[in-house]
Structures are given as C-alpha cells and as structure tokens.
Amino acid sequence: MPQHPSAPADVTSMGRSDASGGLDLMLAIHRTHTFPRHFHETYVVQVVESGVDKFYCRGALHEAGAGSVVCLNPSEVHTGGPAHGQVLRYRSFYLQTRYLAEVASDLGGSGQRAPEFHHCVISDPTLAARLAQVHAAIQPPTLRIEAEERLLDGATALLAAVGYGRRVGALRREDGAVRVACEYLRANVSGQPSLDDLAAQTRLSRFHLLRVFRRATGLPPHQYLLNLRIEQARVLLRRGVPPAQVAASVGFADQSHLNRYFKRHIGITPGRYAQSNIVQDRVPASQ
C-alpha cells in the first residue's frame, strides 16, 4: 500500500490480506472527504496516525486524535471525516466477526461469542503504534503464515485493551420488529422491498416502523438497504465480478449508480477497489 506523506488531495488506498480468512485494509489521508452515515458487516478498527477524526456513532459525536484507536462493532452506523482543519491520516482493519470470536475464545472468552466494543475511542498510543505496524506488515507479498501471526498479535493486544468474551450486540437495543425488518432487507437486498412490505413483515404501522427503525439502527430503512448493497458489492468485486454485473446483481439501477454510492461510502470507485484486492476471493467457475 503506497505511502503519501504530502499528498495534495484526499487519498484512499485499499488493500487485501489473505491472513485468517481474508480482510480488507485501508490507508486514508483526508483533507475534505467525509463519509455519510453508513455501516459495515465487519468490525472496523481504525488507527489514527495524525489529525483528528470527528465521527458520529451511538447517537453522539466523537473525536479521535493521533494515537487513538477507533473501534466499531458490526452493523454499527457511523460517519467520519477530518476536523479542525487538520489533515486526517488513518489505517483501518475490517475484521470478520468470526475471527475475533475465535481469538476471544482462544484467550479464554465464553464459547465462540465475539467481543463487543463498549467505547468508540481508545486513547492508547502504544496500542495504536502496534496496530499500525501490523497493518503495514500483513499485506502481500508477506507470507500468509507471517501475516496470520502478526494479525493475531494485533488482535490479541486489542482485545486485552478492551476486554473480551462479551457478546457483540449490534442490534441489542432493537425490538423484535426491527430485527425482523433488518433480516427481511438482508434477504431481499437485490430486490425492491417497500415500506408496506416491511410493515407487513413486522406487523407495525409504517409510521411506527420508521420511527423505531431509525431509533434502533441510526438509519432509515432505505439507507440501511443501500448499505447492505454496498457490502454485498464489495464481496462480489473481490471475487472478480465486473462492476456492471455487480450493479445489476445487488440492485443498483446501473453501474454509474453503483459508482456514485460506492465511492461516497468506501472512498474509492468499484473499479479501483477491485484492482486493489490483490488477493481476491474468487470462487470456482462452476459456482
């Protein structure tokens, strides 16, 4: 992943490591770019190297300065961007829930349950420096076994800093109706589910559903669906599926529609994202 110590504009570089089942990695240098409310189906662990990241999460605004680690649970709605006129530089890991659950279990956690980050920001320069070193060291051409060892070292240090073995609960504050609505949207990600469909599934009025859904997730249903589509698009792009085909597969009107929303939420275009995934999650042609 290239370094850009004095880049004149916003820079977002994506990489991919095949360590422990694979994970996306991001190096970002942002002067003006801000992310809208969105979520990922993975953990997001962000190491702030310089500047200040100002972001919304869990109903409040937070700031993370240099030497901080931002920890977000799967499906946790958040924003992000530079603050106070400073250039923001950070590194992000997108860690699979299953992976952290296994690490927590190995360390003595409860069963295979993944930990829950109770605080969005950890101010710990030593931990931040350790994770930044791991981030830089686990990308190709690093041997897979070495990358896995380094990633495990970083994950262990992170869990030791926050505690582990507590069940992740991205939907812990949702009532049963909102949970049903989220599952319905997930099952119909490439379709055109309507508000009437969701109301029928949850047995709530449309007005009441909108209110409790936004309160529980931080997003209205249409934006939640959009995020699901973007997450699915990332999976397909890593498999080498062409962007135009991805757009059709996940429910976007066309490739330009995919491009617009993908870049807004991820920071780069689908084409660049696919090219940056040197180790792609390809599936056999028969599948």
Side-chain angles (χ1 to χ4, degrees):
M1 187 176 294
Q3 307 295 308
H4 303 277
S6 59
D10 292 334
V11 176
T12 303
S13 299
M14 297 293 298
R16 179 98 176 147
S17 173
D18 60 351
S20 302
L23 71 155
D24 281 343
L25 302 164
M26 175 191 282
L27 170 62
I29 305 173
H30 290 162
R31 286 164 171 77
T32 61
H33 184 81
T34 59
F35 291 100
R37 290 192 182 192
H38 67 290
F39 64 84
H40 302 282
E41 297 199 293
T42 62
Y43 287 99
V44 179
V45 177
Q46 177 194 104
V47 180
V48 181
E49 295 187 307
S50 62
V52 177
D53 185 10
K54 185 174 183 178
F55 63 98
Y56 163 90
C57 185
R58 305 177 193 175
L61 288 174
H62 307 267
E63 291 192 357
S68 297
V69 179
V70 177
C71 301
L72 303 174
N73 297 307
S75 299
E76 199 154 56
V77 173
H78 61 283
T79 62
H84 310 305
Q86 300 178 33
V87 178
L88 171 63
R89 176 188 171 105
Y90 64 88
R91 297 174 180 270
S92 290
F93 301 81
Y94 299 87
L95 295 165
Q96 298 294 329
T97 303
R98 181 181 63 215
Y99 176 71
L100 276 193
E102 291 172 351
V103 175
S105 180
D106 288 345
L107 292 174
S110 176
Q112 291 290 310
R113 298 188 301 176
E116 179 183 355
F117 294 119
H118 294 287
H119 300 285
C120 298
V121 181
I122 304 171
S123 296
D124 187 336
T126 301
L127 175 64
R130 188 171 182 178
L131 292 176
Q133 291 175 350
V134 171
H135 189 282
I138 65 175
Q139 301 171 71
T142 304
L143 290 175
R144 178 169 181 170
I145 189 171
E146 178 184 355
E148 290 178 341
E149 291 171 357
R150 290 179 179 272
L151 182 62
L152 180 59
D153 176 72
T156 301
L158 176 63
L159 292 179
V162 301
Y164 56 88
R166 292 185 293 273
R167 184 174 179 82
V168 65
L171 303 181
R172 61 193 177 278
R173 298 183 182 90
E174 297 183 9
D175 59 23
V178 177
R179 189 183 300 274
V180 168
C182 289
E183 292 173 352
Y184 184 80
L185 290 173
R186 192 178 302 276
N188 293 276
V189 67
S190 62
Q192 298 296 330
S194 69
L195 191 56
D196 285 338
D197 293 334
L198 292 180
Q201 291 290 321
T202 61
R203 299 183 181 180
L204 297 179
S205 70
R206 290 177 297 175
F207 173 80
H208 187 49
L209 172 63
L210 278 176
R211 183 167 60 86
V212 299
F213 193 98
R214 185 190 290 271
R215 183 183 64 202
T217 69
L219 292 173
H222 77 277
Q223 290 185 3
Y224 193 94
L225 176 62
L226 175 63
N227 273 261
L228 290 174
R229 288 176 173 175
I230 291 170
E231 291 294 285
Q232 182 61 29
R234 293 175 69 168
V235 172
L236 295 176
L237 289 166
R238 290 200 300 267
R239 292 177 178 172
V241 179
Q245 185 177 338
V246 170
S249 297
V250 302
F252 285 103
D254 51 36
Q255 185 174 344
S256 64
H257 193 212
L258 168 65
N259 289 350
R260 181 166 66 254
Y261 285 103
F262 195 94
K263 184 173 183 180
R264 187 181 178 199
H265 284 76
I266 305 301
I268 58 177
T269 64
R272 279 192 57 204
Y273 179 81
Q275 293 170 3
S276 69
N277 278 270
I278 299 173
V279 180
Q280 294 182 334
D281 298 333
R282 294 190 181 276
V283 295
S286 59
Q287 294 187 10

